[in-house]
Amino acid sequence: GDKVKQSPSALSLQEGTNSALRCNFSIAATTVQWFLQNPRGSLMNLFYLVPGTKENGRLKSAFDSKESYSTLHIRDAQLEDSGTYFCAAEIPGTGSNRLTFGKGTKFSLIP
Amino acid sequence: DMKVTQMPRYLIKRMGENVLLECGQDMSHETMYWYRQDPGLGLQLIYISYDVDSNSEGDIPKGYRVSRKKREHFSLILDSAKTNQTSVYFCASSYRGRDSDYTFGSGTRLLVI
């Protein structure tokens, strides 16, 4: 089965609303990264996390290694937040700095 | 401006032809990666390079090889391309060890006909 599972697979919300994306790991992860792939296809790094929380503007992410999950919260969503969000985990035993990706959450904004 | 540069952006090749995808980075990152992205499958690791001439297979290395002769440059080679290698290929780089957040290139769309 998938080592990194993202939910939901798709999300469609109105502008200005808040949302939460989740990533569950079937085995222990040491670090997590979140990426946004915009509609043009470019992948941007949003967060690099060891266990704990980080915040950047309207985005906030948390990684709980004991409970094996990570979340990405988007506050006051804007059109430029549209795209596909990927989480990826560094899993011990798979190789140094090697990430295992989830299949993504497709995020759409309704104006 | 710190970035990862991929060339070319778009490529059309005939089955059986050789393909060379190039990737460069200006951040002195030790580690570089090649991924392919297909609908429904997400990002799959093809090869990882920990430094010059220090390359390891990823999850789907069959049909590909790589070359890293300089730290800032990592090439992906398809010898005798197949139609199932039609995909979007992404290169990425990172520092090795802690704070190894990835920087991705813009991708190369390869169509093998």
PDB file of all heavy atoms in Angstrom, chain A residues 31 33 35 37 41-43 45 48 50 86 90 95-99 101-103, chain B residues 33 35 37 40 43 45 50 57-59 90 96-102 104:
ATOM      1  N   THR A  31      11.344  13.482   8.370  1.00  0.00           N
ATOM      2  CA  THR A  31      11.067  14.853   7.941  1.00  0.00           C
ATOM      3  C   THR A  31       9.947  14.826   6.913  1.00  0.00           C
ATOM      4  O   THR A  31       9.677  13.796   6.296  1.00  0.00           O
ATOM      5  CB  THR A  31      12.296  15.539   7.319  1.00  0.00           C
ATOM      6  OG1 THR A  31      12.638  14.906   6.087  1.00  0.00           O
ATOM      7  CG2 THR A  31      13.493  15.495   8.264  1.00  0.00           C
ATOM      8  N   GLN A  33       8.093  17.357   3.704  1.00  0.00           N
ATOM      9  CA  GLN A  33       8.084  18.572   2.891  1.00  0.00           C
ATOM     10  C   GLN A  33       6.720  18.690   2.217  1.00  0.00           C
ATOM     11  O   GLN A  33       6.120  17.683   1.847  1.00  0.00           O
ATOM     12  CB  GLN A  33       9.205  18.540   1.834  1.00  0.00           C
ATOM     13  CG  GLN A  33      10.595  18.491   2.464  1.00  0.00           C
ATOM     14  CD  GLN A  33      11.725  18.645   1.482  1.00  0.00           C
ATOM     15  OE1 GLN A  33      11.659  19.449   0.544  1.00  0.00           O
ATOM     16  NE2 GLN A  33      12.796  17.883   1.697  1.00  0.00           N
ATOM     17  N   PHE A  35       4.725  20.717  -1.000  1.00  0.00           N
ATOM     18  CA  PHE A  35       4.950  21.406  -2.271  1.00  0.00           C
ATOM     19  C   PHE A  35       3.615  21.812  -2.877  1.00  0.00           C
ATOM     20  O   PHE A  35       2.606  21.131  -2.679  1.00  0.00           O
ATOM     21  CB  PHE A  35       5.666  20.489  -3.274  1.00  0.00           C
ATOM     22  CG  PHE A  35       7.003  19.984  -2.833  1.00  0.00           C
ATOM     23  CD1 PHE A  35       7.106  18.820  -2.088  1.00  0.00           C
ATOM     24  CD2 PHE A  35       8.161  20.673  -3.159  1.00  0.00           C
ATOM     25  CE1 PHE A  35       8.336  18.342  -1.671  1.00  0.00           C
ATOM     26  CE2 PHE A  35       9.407  20.199  -2.748  1.00  0.00           C
ATOM     27  CZ  PHE A  35       9.485  19.032  -1.998  1.00  0.00           C
ATOM     28  N   GLN A  37       2.166  22.456  -6.704  1.00  0.00           N
ATOM     29  CA  GLN A  37       2.360  22.459  -8.152  1.00  0.00           C
ATOM     30  C   GLN A  37       1.291  23.362  -8.752  1.00  0.00           C
ATOM     31  O   GLN A  37       0.101  23.049  -8.698  1.00  0.00           O
ATOM     32  CB  GLN A  37       2.270  21.055  -8.736  1.00  0.00           C
ATOM     33  CG  GLN A  37       2.639  21.003 -10.220  1.00  0.00           C
ATOM     34  CD  GLN A  37       2.831  19.592 -10.728  1.00  0.00           C
ATOM     35  OE1 GLN A  37       2.133  18.664 -10.328  1.00  0.00           O
ATOM     36  NE2 GLN A  37       3.786  19.396 -11.607  1.00  0.00           N
ATOM     37  N   GLY A  41       2.419  23.928 -13.871  1.00  0.00           N
ATOM     38  CA  GLY A  41       3.219  22.721 -13.686  1.00  0.00           C
ATOM     39  C   GLY A  41       4.452  22.883 -12.825  1.00  0.00           C
ATOM     40  O   GLY A  41       5.115  21.890 -12.517  1.00  0.00           O
ATOM     41  N   SER A  42       4.766  24.090 -12.410  1.00  0.00           N
ATOM     42  CA  SER A  42       5.962  24.310 -11.594  1.00  0.00           C
ATOM     43  C   SER A  42       5.720  23.869 -10.158  1.00  0.00           C
ATOM     44  O   SER A  42       4.648  24.103  -9.597  1.00  0.00           O
ATOM     45  CB  SER A  42       6.331  25.789 -11.596  1.00  0.00           C
ATOM     46  OG  SER A  42       6.684  26.189 -12.889  1.00  0.00           O
ATOM     47  N   LEU A  43       6.729  23.233  -9.581  1.00  0.00           N
ATOM     48  CA  LEU A  43       6.663  22.741  -8.196  1.00  0.00           C
ATOM     49  C   LEU A  43       7.419  23.694  -7.290  1.00  0.00           C
ATOM     50  O   LEU A  43       8.611  23.937  -7.481  1.00  0.00           O
ATOM     51  CB  LEU A  43       7.304  21.354  -8.106  1.00  0.00           C
ATOM     52  CG  LEU A  43       6.440  20.188  -8.546  1.00  0.00           C
ATOM     53  CD1 LEU A  43       7.292  19.037  -9.040  1.00  0.00           C
ATOM     54  CD2 LEU A  43       5.553  19.730  -7.381  1.00  0.00           C
ATOM     55  N   ASN A  45       8.478  24.640  -3.272  1.00  0.00           N
ATOM     56  CA  ASN A  45       8.607  24.121  -1.917  1.00  0.00           C
ATOM     57  C   ASN A  45       7.943  25.091  -0.951  1.00  0.00           C
ATOM     58  O   ASN A  45       8.258  26.283  -0.931  1.00  0.00           O
ATOM     59  CB  ASN A  45      10.081  23.938  -1.586  1.00  0.00           C
ATOM     60  CG  ASN A  45      10.286  23.078  -0.357  1.00  0.00           C
ATOM     61  OD1 ASN A  45       9.741  23.361   0.704  1.00  0.00           O
ATOM     62  ND2 ASN A  45      11.060  22.026  -0.494  1.00  0.00           N
ATOM     63  N   TYR A  48       9.602  22.749   4.848  1.00  0.00           N
ATOM     64  CA  TYR A  48      10.429  21.617   5.250  1.00  0.00           C
ATOM     65  C   TYR A  48      10.262  21.496   6.757  1.00  0.00           C
ATOM     66  O   TYR A  48      10.489  22.455   7.489  1.00  0.00           O
ATOM     67  CB  TYR A  48      11.894  21.877   4.889  1.00  0.00           C
ATOM     68  CG  TYR A  48      12.863  20.879   5.469  1.00  0.00           C
ATOM     69  CD1 TYR A  48      13.198  19.738   4.757  1.00  0.00           C
ATOM     70  CD2 TYR A  48      13.451  21.080   6.711  1.00  0.00           C
ATOM     71  CE1 TYR A  48      14.090  18.813   5.273  1.00  0.00           C
ATOM     72  CE2 TYR A  48      14.334  20.170   7.233  1.00  0.00           C
ATOM     73  CZ  TYR A  48      14.658  19.044   6.516  1.00  0.00           C
ATOM     74  OH  TYR A  48      15.549  18.123   7.030  1.00  0.00           O
ATOM     75  N   VAL A  50      10.812  19.223  10.389  1.00  0.00           N
ATOM     76  CA  VAL A  50      11.107  18.178  11.357  1.00  0.00           C
ATOM     77  C   VAL A  50       9.883  18.202  12.279  1.00  0.00           C
ATOM     78  O   VAL A  50       9.035  19.078  12.142  1.00  0.00           O
ATOM     79  CB  VAL A  50      12.420  18.457  12.108  1.00  0.00           C
ATOM     80  CG1 VAL A  50      13.596  18.373  11.142  1.00  0.00           C
ATOM     81  CG2 VAL A  50      12.379  19.814  12.776  1.00  0.00           C
ATOM     82  N   PHE A  86       1.324  18.600  -2.759  1.00  0.00           N
ATOM     83  CA  PHE A  86       1.953  17.308  -2.486  1.00  0.00           C
ATOM     84  C   PHE A  86       2.667  17.355  -1.139  1.00  0.00           C
ATOM     85  O   PHE A  86       3.345  18.327  -0.829  1.00  0.00           O
ATOM     86  CB  PHE A  86       2.998  16.971  -3.557  1.00  0.00           C
ATOM     87  CG  PHE A  86       2.423  16.657  -4.906  1.00  0.00           C
ATOM     88  CD1 PHE A  86       2.370  17.627  -5.895  1.00  0.00           C
ATOM     89  CD2 PHE A  86       1.961  15.384  -5.192  1.00  0.00           C
ATOM     90  CE1 PHE A  86       1.837  17.337  -7.154  1.00  0.00           C
ATOM     91  CE2 PHE A  86       1.432  15.082  -6.437  1.00  0.00           C
ATOM     92  CZ  PHE A  86       1.375  16.070  -7.418  1.00  0.00           C
ATOM     93  N   GLU A  90      10.477  11.805   4.327  1.00  0.00           N
ATOM     94  CA  GLU A  90      11.745  11.100   4.354  1.00  0.00           C
ATOM     95  C   GLU A  90      11.573   9.931   5.317  1.00  0.00           C
ATOM     96  O   GLU A  90      11.265  10.144   6.495  1.00  0.00           O
ATOM     97  CB  GLU A  90      12.867  12.025   4.820  1.00  0.00           C
ATOM     98  CG  GLU A  90      14.248  11.464   4.640  1.00  0.00           C
ATOM     99  CD  GLU A  90      15.345  12.478   4.944  1.00  0.00           C
ATOM    100  OE1 GLU A  90      15.023  13.646   5.224  1.00  0.00           O
ATOM    101  OE2 GLU A  90      16.518  12.085   4.906  1.00  0.00           O
ATOM    102  N   GLY A  95      17.027   5.583   2.156  1.00  0.00           N
ATOM    103  CA  GLY A  95      18.139   6.345   1.600  1.00  0.00           C
ATOM    104  C   GLY A  95      18.131   7.774   2.080  1.00  0.00           C
ATOM    105  O   GLY A  95      17.070   8.378   2.248  1.00  0.00           O
ATOM    106  N   SER A  96      19.313   8.323   2.281  1.00  0.00           N
ATOM    107  CA  SER A  96      19.443   9.675   2.814  1.00  0.00           C
ATOM    108  C   SER A  96      18.783  10.700   1.895  1.00  0.00           C
ATOM    109  O   SER A  96      18.983  10.668   0.680  1.00  0.00           O
ATOM    110  CB  SER A  96      20.927   9.993   2.962  1.00  0.00           C
ATOM    111  OG  SER A  96      21.125  11.306   3.396  1.00  0.00           O
ATOM    112  N   ASN A  97      17.991  11.585   2.458  1.00  0.00           N
ATOM    113  CA  ASN A  97      17.332  12.678   1.748  1.00  0.00           C
ATOM    114  C   ASN A  97      16.345  12.223   0.681  1.00  0.00           C
ATOM    115  O   ASN A  97      15.884  13.033  -0.124  1.00  0.00           O
ATOM    116  CB  ASN A  97      18.357  13.619   1.099  1.00  0.00           C
ATOM    117  CG  ASN A  97      19.273  14.250   2.109  1.00  0.00           C
ATOM    118  OD1 ASN A  97      20.481  14.256   1.944  1.00  0.00           O
ATOM    119  ND2 ASN A  97      18.697  14.777   3.166  1.00  0.00           N
ATOM    120  N   ARG A  98      16.028  10.947   0.675  1.00  0.00           N
ATOM    121  CA  ARG A  98      15.143  10.442  -0.369  1.00  0.00           C
ATOM    122  C   ARG A  98      13.692  10.604   0.089  1.00  0.00           C
ATOM    123  O   ARG A  98      13.320  10.131   1.148  1.00  0.00           O
ATOM    124  CB  ARG A  98      15.485   8.984  -0.606  1.00  0.00           C
ATOM    125  CG  ARG A  98      14.860   8.374  -1.778  1.00  0.00           C
ATOM    126  CD  ARG A  98      15.600   7.088  -2.068  1.00  0.00           C
ATOM    127  NE  ARG A  98      14.723   6.177  -2.765  1.00  0.00           N
ATOM    128  CZ  ARG A  98      15.135   5.077  -3.360  1.00  0.00           C
ATOM    129  NH1 ARG A  98      16.406   4.750  -3.315  1.00  0.00           N
ATOM    130  NH2 ARG A  98      14.291   4.289  -3.968  1.00  0.00           N
ATOM    131  N   LEU A  99      12.868  11.274  -0.714  1.00  0.00           N
ATOM    132  CA  LEU A  99      11.477  11.535  -0.356  1.00  0.00           C
ATOM    133  C   LEU A  99      10.529  10.554  -1.031  1.00  0.00           C
ATOM    134  O   LEU A  99      10.724  10.186  -2.185  1.00  0.00           O
ATOM    135  CB  LEU A  99      11.068  12.952  -0.765  1.00  0.00           C
ATOM    136  CG  LEU A  99      11.740  14.119  -0.050  1.00  0.00           C
ATOM    137  CD1 LEU A  99      11.212  15.440  -0.598  1.00  0.00           C
ATOM    138  CD2 LEU A  99      11.487  14.040   1.446  1.00  0.00           C
ATOM    139  N   PHE A 101       6.638  10.501  -2.112  1.00  0.00           N
ATOM    140  CA  PHE A 101       5.570  11.470  -2.341  1.00  0.00           C
ATOM    141  C   PHE A 101       4.192  10.840  -2.201  1.00  0.00           C
ATOM    142  O   PHE A 101       3.983   9.679  -2.568  1.00  0.00           O
ATOM    143  CB  PHE A 101       5.692  12.069  -3.736  1.00  0.00           C
ATOM    144  CG  PHE A 101       6.726  13.148  -3.854  1.00  0.00           C
ATOM    145  CD1 PHE A 101       8.066  12.826  -3.943  1.00  0.00           C
ATOM    146  CD2 PHE A 101       6.361  14.478  -3.872  1.00  0.00           C
ATOM    147  CE1 PHE A 101       9.036  13.814  -4.037  1.00  0.00           C
ATOM    148  CE2 PHE A 101       7.319  15.477  -3.968  1.00  0.00           C
ATOM    149  CZ  PHE A 101       8.661  15.149  -4.046  1.00  0.00           C
ATOM    150  N   GLY A 102       3.247  11.637  -1.715  1.00  0.00           N
ATOM    151  CA  GLY A 102       1.842  11.284  -1.821  1.00  0.00           C
ATOM    152  C   GLY A 102       1.341  11.607  -3.209  1.00  0.00           C
ATOM    153  O   GLY A 102       2.064  12.193  -4.025  1.00  0.00           O
ATOM    154  N   LYS A 103       0.092  11.240  -3.476  1.00  0.00           N
ATOM    155  CA  LYS A 103      -0.459  11.437  -4.817  1.00  0.00           C
ATOM    156  C   LYS A 103      -1.091  12.811  -4.998  1.00  0.00           C
ATOM    157  O   LYS A 103      -1.560  13.133  -6.092  1.00  0.00           O
ATOM    158  CB  LYS A 103      -1.461  10.332  -5.133  1.00  0.00           C
ATOM    159  CG  LYS A 103      -0.790   8.975  -5.329  1.00  0.00           C
ATOM    160  CD  LYS A 103      -1.726   7.936  -5.853  1.00  0.00           C
ATOM    161  CE  LYS A 103      -1.003   6.699  -6.381  1.00  0.00           C
ATOM    162  NZ  LYS A 103      -0.008   6.135  -5.502  1.00  0.00           N
TER     163      LYS A 103
ATOM    164  N   TYR B  33      18.355  14.931  -8.078  1.00  0.00           N
ATOM    165  CA  TYR B  33      17.359  13.875  -8.278  1.00  0.00           C
ATOM    166  C   TYR B  33      16.729  14.023  -9.656  1.00  0.00           C
ATOM    167  O   TYR B  33      16.585  15.124 -10.172  1.00  0.00           O
ATOM    168  CB  TYR B  33      16.221  14.003  -7.254  1.00  0.00           C
ATOM    169  CG  TYR B  33      16.641  14.278  -5.834  1.00  0.00           C
ATOM    170  CD1 TYR B  33      16.960  15.568  -5.422  1.00  0.00           C
ATOM    171  CD2 TYR B  33      16.696  13.254  -4.892  1.00  0.00           C
ATOM    172  CE1 TYR B  33      17.342  15.833  -4.116  1.00  0.00           C
ATOM    173  CE2 TYR B  33      17.073  13.516  -3.568  1.00  0.00           C
ATOM    174  CZ  TYR B  33      17.388  14.812  -3.192  1.00  0.00           C
ATOM    175  OH  TYR B  33      17.761  15.063  -1.900  1.00  0.00           O
ATOM    176  N   TYR B  35      13.009  12.795 -11.297  1.00  0.00           N
ATOM    177  CA  TYR B  35      11.688  12.207 -11.095  1.00  0.00           C
ATOM    178  C   TYR B  35      10.929  12.234 -12.424  1.00  0.00           C
ATOM    179  O   TYR B  35      11.192  13.075 -13.273  1.00  0.00           O
ATOM    180  CB  TYR B  35      10.867  13.038 -10.100  1.00  0.00           C
ATOM    181  CG  TYR B  35      11.234  12.863  -8.650  1.00  0.00           C
ATOM    182  CD1 TYR B  35      12.264  13.618  -8.084  1.00  0.00           C
ATOM    183  CD2 TYR B  35      10.553  11.961  -7.842  1.00  0.00           C
ATOM    184  CE1 TYR B  35      12.600  13.456  -6.746  1.00  0.00           C
ATOM    185  CE2 TYR B  35      10.873  11.807  -6.503  1.00  0.00           C
ATOM    186  CZ  TYR B  35      11.896  12.558  -5.970  1.00  0.00           C
ATOM    187  OH  TYR B  35      12.225  12.393  -4.639  1.00  0.00           O
ATOM    188  N   GLN B  37       6.708  12.331 -13.628  1.00  0.00           N
ATOM    189  CA  GLN B  37       5.364  12.528 -13.108  1.00  0.00           C
ATOM    190  C   GLN B  37       4.359  12.106 -14.157  1.00  0.00           C
ATOM    191  O   GLN B  37       4.362  12.620 -15.273  1.00  0.00           O
ATOM    192  CB  GLN B  37       5.124  13.998 -12.729  1.00  0.00           C
ATOM    193  CG  GLN B  37       3.765  14.219 -12.072  1.00  0.00           C
ATOM    194  CD  GLN B  37       3.551  15.656 -11.652  1.00  0.00           C
ATOM    195  OE1 GLN B  37       4.031  16.594 -12.263  1.00  0.00           O
ATOM    196  NE2 GLN B  37       2.806  15.842 -10.569  1.00  0.00           N
ATOM    197  N   GLY B  40      -2.097  10.320 -12.014  1.00  0.00           N
ATOM    198  CA  GLY B  40      -2.530   9.253 -11.118  1.00  0.00           C
ATOM    199  C   GLY B  40      -1.420   8.542 -10.375  1.00  0.00           C
ATOM    200  O   GLY B  40      -1.686   7.785  -9.442  1.00  0.00           O
ATOM    201  N   LEU B  43       4.747  11.585  -8.253  1.00  0.00           N
ATOM    202  CA  LEU B  43       6.163  11.726  -8.602  1.00  0.00           C
ATOM    203  C   LEU B  43       6.902  10.454  -8.218  1.00  0.00           C
ATOM    204  O   LEU B  43       6.831  10.008  -7.078  1.00  0.00           O
ATOM    205  CB  LEU B  43       6.768  12.917  -7.861  1.00  0.00           C
ATOM    206  CG  LEU B  43       6.374  14.261  -8.441  1.00  0.00           C
ATOM    207  CD1 LEU B  43       6.210  15.301  -7.354  1.00  0.00           C
ATOM    208  CD2 LEU B  43       7.423  14.720  -9.440  1.00  0.00           C
ATOM    209  N   LEU B  45      10.668   8.470  -8.213  1.00  0.00           N
ATOM    210  CA  LEU B  45      12.104   8.717  -8.258  1.00  0.00           C
ATOM    211  C   LEU B  45      12.786   7.756  -9.223  1.00  0.00           C
ATOM    212  O   LEU B  45      12.665   6.529  -9.083  1.00  0.00           O
ATOM    213  CB  LEU B  45      12.700   8.566  -6.856  1.00  0.00           C
ATOM    214  CG  LEU B  45      14.199   8.793  -6.729  1.00  0.00           C
ATOM    215  CD1 LEU B  45      14.558  10.250  -7.032  1.00  0.00           C
ATOM    216  CD2 LEU B  45      14.671   8.419  -5.328  1.00  0.00           C
ATOM    217  N   TYR B  50      24.343  11.609  -5.076  1.00  0.00           N
ATOM    218  CA  TYR B  50      24.777  12.225  -3.823  1.00  0.00           C
ATOM    219  C   TYR B  50      25.958  13.169  -4.019  1.00  0.00           C
ATOM    220  O   TYR B  50      26.294  13.928  -3.115  1.00  0.00           O
ATOM    221  CB  TYR B  50      25.100  11.148  -2.802  1.00  0.00           C
ATOM    222  CG  TYR B  50      23.871  10.394  -2.353  1.00  0.00           C
ATOM    223  CD1 TYR B  50      23.606   9.101  -2.783  1.00  0.00           C
ATOM    224  CD2 TYR B  50      22.933  10.999  -1.516  1.00  0.00           C
ATOM    225  CE1 TYR B  50      22.463   8.427  -2.385  1.00  0.00           C
ATOM    226  CE2 TYR B  50      21.790  10.334  -1.114  1.00  0.00           C
ATOM    227  CZ  TYR B  50      21.561   9.055  -1.557  1.00  0.00           C
ATOM    228  OH  TYR B  50      20.422   8.391  -1.169  1.00  0.00           O
ATOM    229  N   GLU B  57      20.218   4.093  -7.795  1.00  0.00           N
ATOM    230  CA  GLU B  57      18.920   3.873  -8.424  1.00  0.00           C
ATOM    231  C   GLU B  57      17.800   4.328  -7.495  1.00  0.00           C
ATOM    232  O   GLU B  57      17.871   4.176  -6.274  1.00  0.00           O
ATOM    233  CB  GLU B  57      18.733   2.393  -8.754  1.00  0.00           C
ATOM    234  CG  GLU B  57      19.690   1.890  -9.822  1.00  0.00           C
ATOM    235  CD  GLU B  57      19.465   0.431 -10.157  1.00  0.00           C
ATOM    236  OE1 GLU B  57      18.767  -0.250  -9.372  1.00  0.00           O
ATOM    237  OE2 GLU B  57      19.987  -0.031 -11.182  1.00  0.00           O
ATOM    238  N   GLY B  58      16.764   4.852  -8.119  1.00  0.00           N
ATOM    239  CA  GLY B  58      15.552   5.162  -7.385  1.00  0.00           C
ATOM    240  C   GLY B  58      14.577   4.006  -7.479  1.00  0.00           C
ATOM    241  O   GLY B  58      14.974   2.841  -7.514  1.00  0.00           O
ATOM    242  N   ASP B  59      13.290   4.341  -7.560  1.00  0.00           N
ATOM    243  CA  ASP B  59      12.258   3.307  -7.583  1.00  0.00           C
ATOM    244  C   ASP B  59      12.001   2.739  -8.980  1.00  0.00           C
ATOM    245  O   ASP B  59      11.558   1.612  -9.122  1.00  0.00           O
ATOM    246  CB  ASP B  59      10.950   3.882  -7.021  1.00  0.00           C
ATOM    247  CG  ASP B  59      11.106   4.320  -5.581  1.00  0.00           C
ATOM    248  OD1 ASP B  59      11.721   3.571  -4.797  1.00  0.00           O
ATOM    249  OD2 ASP B  59      10.627   5.420  -5.233  1.00  0.00           O
ATOM    250  N   PHE B  90      11.125  15.787 -13.967  1.00  0.00           N
ATOM    251  CA  PHE B  90      11.556  16.867 -13.086  1.00  0.00           C
ATOM    252  C   PHE B  90      12.909  16.532 -12.482  1.00  0.00           C
ATOM    253  O   PHE B  90      13.157  15.410 -12.026  1.00  0.00           O
ATOM    254  CB  PHE B  90      10.552  17.069 -11.948  1.00  0.00           C
ATOM    255  CG  PHE B  90       9.293  17.757 -12.353  1.00  0.00           C
ATOM    256  CD1 PHE B  90       8.153  17.027 -12.654  1.00  0.00           C
ATOM    257  CD2 PHE B  90       9.248  19.144 -12.434  1.00  0.00           C
ATOM    258  CE1 PHE B  90       6.978  17.662 -13.034  1.00  0.00           C
ATOM    259  CE2 PHE B  90       8.074  19.791 -12.815  1.00  0.00           C
ATOM    260  CZ  PHE B  90       6.949  19.045 -13.122  1.00  0.00           C
ATOM    261  N   ARG B  96      22.705  17.905   1.402  1.00  0.00           N
ATOM    262  CA  ARG B  96      22.655  16.569   1.987  1.00  0.00           C
ATOM    263  C   ARG B  96      22.566  16.700   3.499  1.00  0.00           C
ATOM    264  O   ARG B  96      23.198  17.559   4.094  1.00  0.00           O
ATOM    265  CB  ARG B  96      23.924  15.790   1.602  1.00  0.00           C
ATOM    266  CG  ARG B  96      23.826  14.339   1.974  1.00  0.00           C
ATOM    267  CD  ARG B  96      24.889  13.537   1.312  1.00  0.00           C
ATOM    268  NE  ARG B  96      24.740  12.128   1.652  1.00  0.00           N
ATOM    269  CZ  ARG B  96      25.542  11.189   1.231  1.00  0.00           C
ATOM    270  NH1 ARG B  96      26.550  11.482   0.441  1.00  0.00           N
ATOM    271  NH2 ARG B  96      25.355   9.933   1.578  1.00  0.00           N
ATOM    272  N   GLY B  97      21.743  15.856   4.110  1.00  0.00           N
ATOM    273  CA  GLY B  97      21.620  15.877   5.562  1.00  0.00           C
ATOM    274  C   GLY B  97      20.464  16.763   5.996  1.00  0.00           C
ATOM    275  O   GLY B  97      19.427  16.827   5.351  1.00  0.00           O
ATOM    276  N   ARG B  98      20.637  17.483   7.086  1.00  0.00           N
ATOM    277  CA  ARG B  98      19.570  18.310   7.630  1.00  0.00           C
ATOM    278  C   ARG B  98      19.278  19.496   6.705  1.00  0.00           C
ATOM    279  O   ARG B  98      20.108  19.913   5.919  1.00  0.00           O
ATOM    280  CB  ARG B  98      19.974  18.834   9.005  1.00  0.00           C
ATOM    281  CG  ARG B  98      20.252  17.755   9.995  1.00  0.00           C
ATOM    282  CD  ARG B  98      19.016  17.184  10.588  1.00  0.00           C
ATOM    283  NE  ARG B  98      18.336  18.106  11.480  1.00  0.00           N
ATOM    284  CZ  ARG B  98      17.252  17.796  12.168  1.00  0.00           C
ATOM    285  NH1 ARG B  98      16.714  16.603  12.067  1.00  0.00           N
ATOM    286  NH2 ARG B  98      16.680  18.676  12.951  1.00  0.00           N
ATOM    287  N   ASP B  99      18.077  20.053   6.862  1.00  0.00           N
ATOM    288  CA  ASP B  99      17.647  21.197   6.051  1.00  0.00           C
ATOM    289  C   ASP B  99      17.773  20.905   4.562  1.00  0.00           C
ATOM    290  O   ASP B  99      18.203  21.761   3.778  1.00  0.00           O
ATOM    291  CB  ASP B  99      18.451  22.451   6.395  1.00  0.00           C
ATOM    292  CG  ASP B  99      18.238  22.873   7.840  1.00  0.00           C
ATOM    293  OD1 ASP B  99      17.109  22.704   8.320  1.00  0.00           O
ATOM    294  OD2 ASP B  99      19.195  23.334   8.465  1.00  0.00           O
ATOM    295  N   SER B 100      17.405  19.715   4.194  1.00  0.00           N
ATOM    296  CA  SER B 100      17.564  19.282   2.804  1.00  0.00           C
ATOM    297  C   SER B 100      16.285  19.525   2.019  1.00  0.00           C
ATOM    298  O   SER B 100      15.780  18.625   1.356  1.00  0.00           O
ATOM    299  CB  SER B 100      17.963  17.814   2.757  1.00  0.00           C
ATOM    300  OG  SER B 100      17.007  17.029   3.457  1.00  0.00           O
ATOM    301  N   ASP B 101      15.747  20.757   2.106  1.00  0.00           N
ATOM    302  CA  ASP B 101      14.527  21.026   1.336  1.00  0.00           C
ATOM    303  C   ASP B 101      14.861  21.058  -0.154  1.00  0.00           C
ATOM    304  O   ASP B 101      15.872  21.611  -0.571  1.00  0.00           O
ATOM    305  CB  ASP B 101      13.819  22.298   1.795  1.00  0.00           C
ATOM    306  CG  ASP B 101      14.752  23.437   2.076  1.00  0.00           C
ATOM    307  OD1 ASP B 101      15.855  23.181   2.572  1.00  0.00           O
ATOM    308  OD2 ASP B 101      14.368  24.586   1.799  1.00  0.00           O
ATOM    309  N   TYR B 102      13.972  20.437  -0.918  1.00  0.00           N
ATOM    310  CA  TYR B 102      14.170  20.288  -2.347  1.00  0.00           C
ATOM    311  C   TYR B 102      13.853  21.587  -3.097  1.00  0.00           C
ATOM    312  O   TYR B 102      12.890  22.287  -2.765  1.00  0.00           O
ATOM    313  CB  TYR B 102      13.216  19.233  -2.901  1.00  0.00           C
ATOM    314  CG  TYR B 102      13.585  17.787  -2.711  1.00  0.00           C
ATOM    315  CD1 TYR B 102      14.350  17.343  -1.652  1.00  0.00           C
ATOM    316  CD2 TYR B 102      13.113  16.836  -3.622  1.00  0.00           C
ATOM    317  CE1 TYR B 102      14.640  15.998  -1.495  1.00  0.00           C
ATOM    318  CE2 TYR B 102      13.392  15.486  -3.475  1.00  0.00           C
ATOM    319  CZ  TYR B 102      14.161  15.079  -2.410  1.00  0.00           C
ATOM    320  OH  TYR B 102      14.441  13.746  -2.274  1.00  0.00           O
ATOM    321  N   PHE B 104      12.953  22.316  -7.096  1.00  0.00           N
ATOM    322  CA  PHE B 104      12.645  21.646  -8.353  1.00  0.00           C
ATOM    323  C   PHE B 104      12.890  22.559  -9.545  1.00  0.00           C
ATOM    324  O   PHE B 104      12.726  23.781  -9.464  1.00  0.00           O
ATOM    325  CB  PHE B 104      11.173  21.223  -8.399  1.00  0.00           C
ATOM    326  CG  PHE B 104      10.907  19.899  -7.750  1.00  0.00           C
ATOM    327  CD1 PHE B 104      10.519  19.837  -6.422  1.00  0.00           C
ATOM    328  CD2 PHE B 104      11.035  18.712  -8.457  1.00  0.00           C
ATOM    329  CE1 PHE B 104      10.265  18.610  -5.804  1.00  0.00           C
ATOM    330  CE2 PHE B 104      10.781  17.486  -7.856  1.00  0.00           C
ATOM    331  CZ  PHE B 104      10.405  17.438  -6.522  1.00  0.00           C
TER     332      PHE B 104
END
